[in-house]
Amino acid sequence: MTARELEERHALEVYPRRGISIVRGEDARLWDDQGNEYLDCAAGVGVANVGHANPVVATALADQARVLVTCPGIFYNDQRGQLMEKLASLAPAGLEKVFLCNSGTESTETAIKLARKTTGRSGMVTAMRGFHGRTLGSLSATFKYRDAFEPLLPGCTFVPLNNIDKLDSAVGDDTAAVMLETVQGEGGVRPADPEYLAAARRLCDERGSLLIIDEVQTGFCRTGTFFSCEQFNLVPDILCLAKSIAGGMPMGAVLCSERVEAGIGVHGSTFGGNPLACAAALAAINFMLEHDLAARANERGAYFQRRFTGELPARVRDVRQIGLMIGIELKEKATPYLQALLHRRVLALPAGPTVIRLLPPLVISESQLDTVVTALQDVLSV
Ligand SMILES: *Cc1c(COP(=O)(O)O)cnc(C)c1O
């Protein structure tokens, strides 16, 4: 039986399917079970920044798999220690403490717990259109996808992004943390204003709340700097990471300032910080630094912007490009165009009903981007 038949029989259907079976990848390309080649502007939802089947990551994984795969947090481990030091050295100054987990939602879930433990408060202030994950705590702080799951955590307030007055009124004595993305990913590739993030930092300091920045999607060179915070001169109390951290292996991380209080037994994870994922992360991060993928995201993003916005199809309302995080907002629903792109062998993502989101591997070449631009122009002009 084909993968499609097997999954249709057994998979709990929670994903809107696209109808193809992907069996192999290399850099920015994927192949289906019929041998068709695709340009991947989804990158496993922003996971494959270093490219699919990256040989450096593959070697690190194979080598580490023969040495040690699992090691609980009660013991020290060489790979884990090195990774923690690497993350702390790349993050904004002062974020020296690291907790390792296995996904984005675990990293935001951890951040919410730490904010509560540290402040003794329970309120969360987050942005409308923000996305922080699907486990119950993270979902409580997420604007969408929550309807079927009420009641969620009490005390979560949603404010419109980039409205400083509304943020000012929302942050109060009961606010444990303000949690924001620097660029909203799922919410439509919408960047926060620098003044807004600065105001969030100031309000948190004034009112004894923590500032959590969720860089699960924007981190690891995606937006043209190693972490997106750098572009805003922003130092959060907690930085949440996942997606591209380990070259495609499941991993999340939380980086904390010394203000953040934990304590023995406060949190934990069976798989968090396992040597296999840590080795993959070290390899992926070293690859990003060696090949300066931040600069590459910047250059290739600007290249895309020049090529695509030259002749903007009439049904495009707006193009938002931050490094290689690109949102093409349409005046109509995006799904038919995503399907048309798939027929042109370009894989892309939605971000809300009307936005086509492109998150290609940062190793995508200019000529591959030319192909993407041509496909977009053809599909959007009909
Ligand atoms: C994807 C994402 C998450 C959730 O990550 P998972 O690994 O799917 O749990 C959280 N925050 C942001 C900003 C994301 O883009």
Side-chain angles (χ1 to χ4, degrees):
M1 280 208 283
T2 64
R4 179 184 189 138
E5 287 162 341
L6 290 167
E7 288 204 42
E8 280 179 352
R9 180 179 295 178
H10 294 292
L12 197 64
E13 288 297 349
V14 294
Y15 300 110
R17 302 289 198 154
R18 301 279 186 86
I20 55 171
S21 299
I22 298 294
V23 292
R24 189 164 69 83
E26 195 179 322
D27 50 61
R29 293 166 298 166
L30 290 171
W31 285 268
D32 68 14
D33 58 355
Q34 312 294 305
N36 297 312
E37 183 182 314
Y38 299 84
L39 275 175
D40 182 17
C41 291
V45 193
V47 171
N49 284 8
V50 297
H52 293 288
N54 182 294
V56 177
V57 176
T59 303
L61 277 169
D63 289 350
Q64 187 62 36
R66 290 194 193 88
V67 175
L68 186 68
V69 169
T70 196
C71 172
I74 54 173
F75 304 118
Y76 302 118
N77 174 260
D78 55 338
Q79 300 298 315
R80 191 194 296 138
Q82 286 175 50
L83 176 63
M84 286 177 167
E85 164 139 301
K86 181 68 85 180
L87 289 171
S89 75
L90 291 164
L95 299 178
E96 299 281 342
K97 296 285 186 191
V98 184
F99 179 81
L100 296 171
C101 51
N102 313 287
S103 66
T105 198
E106 280 176 68
S107 74
T108 53
E109 193 84 26
T110 305
I112 294 169
K113 283 181 69 180
L114 291 174
R116 284 181 160 216
K117 170 76 170 66
T118 301
T119 61
R121 307 170 177 183
S122 61
M124 293 291 302
V125 176
T126 66
M128 291 166 178
R129 290 199 169 110
F131 181 79
H132 302 291
R134 294 176 185 268
T135 51
L136 288 172
S138 310
L139 188 63
S140 302
T142 291
F143 195 57
K144 258 172 57 174
Y145 310 113
R146 50 192 290 130
D147 296 357
F149 305 103
E150 303 278 5
L152 289 165
L153 286 181
C156 293
T157 311
F158 298 95
V159 292
L161 185 71
N162 293 335
N163 182 325
I164 296 176
D165 291 341
K166 292 270 167 63
L167 183 65
D168 190 339
S169 336
V171 180
D173 293 345
D174 56 346
T175 306
V178 174
M179 178 154 67
L180 297 167
E181 296 157 89
T182 50
V183 183
Q184 293 183 330
E186 296 290 321
V189 188
R190 296 173 202 276
D193 295 336
E195 309 79 55
Y196 185 75
L197 293 174
R201 178 67 279 177
R202 178 176 50 77
L203 289 168
C204 285
D205 287 339
E206 281 172 14
R207 297 177 196 175
S209 313
L210 299 188
L211 179 62
I212 301 170
I213 294 293
D214 179 350
E215 286 225 40
V216 166
Q217 193 160 147
T218 53
F220 301 98
C221 307
R222 171 61 61 191
T223 67
T225 47
F226 199 89
F227 294 122
S228 165
C229 279
E230 295 166 37
Q231 291 168 53
F232 299 92
N233 266 323
L234 181 67
V235 184
D237 299 295
I238 303 181
L239 181 65
C240 295
L241 305 172
K243 290 205 161 98
S244 264
I245 185 172
M249 280 290 287
M251 177 175 252
V254 176
L255 273 59
C256 304
S257 74
E258 58 184 19
R259 253 183 93 185
V260 176
E261 279 172 35
I264 305 298
V266 159
H267 199 50
S269 165
T270 299
F271 289 125
N274 70 82
L276 189 66
C278 291
L282 277 168
I285 291 169
N286 285 331
F287 183 93
M288 292 172 202
L289 295 172
E290 243 164 64
H291 294 82
D292 202 353
L293 290 195
R296 201 158 333 163
N298 232 343
E299 285 157 21
R300 300 276 148 90
Y303 179 80
F304 173 91
Q305 180 82 0
R306 279 198 305 278
R307 289 291 325 275
F308 182 63
T309 53
E311 303 156 64
L312 216 49
R315 54 169 58 87
V316 174
R317 186 187 300 283
D318 191 18
V319 181
R320 295 183 284 272
Q321 172 262 322
I322 309 95
L324 276 173
M325 187 167 182
I326 297 164
I328 302 163
E329 183 169 350
L330 306 182
K331 297 171 185 164
E332 54 195 290
K333 291 235 177 320
T335 316
Y337 299 99
L338 291 171
Q339 210 54 31
L341 282 171
L342 180 106
H343 291 304
R344 302 288 308 254
R345 308 263 156 83
V346 171
L347 306 182
L349 295 162
T354 59
V355 178
I356 297 174
R357 178 174 38 153
L358 308 177
L359 300 173
L362 308 181
V363 296
I364 194 167
S365 68
E366 287 189 354
S367 73
Q368 287 171 329
L369 277 175
D370 288 342
T371 308
V372 173
V373 167
T374 306
L376 278 166
Q377 278 162 346
D378 286 357
V379 158
L380 292 171
S381 307
V382 282

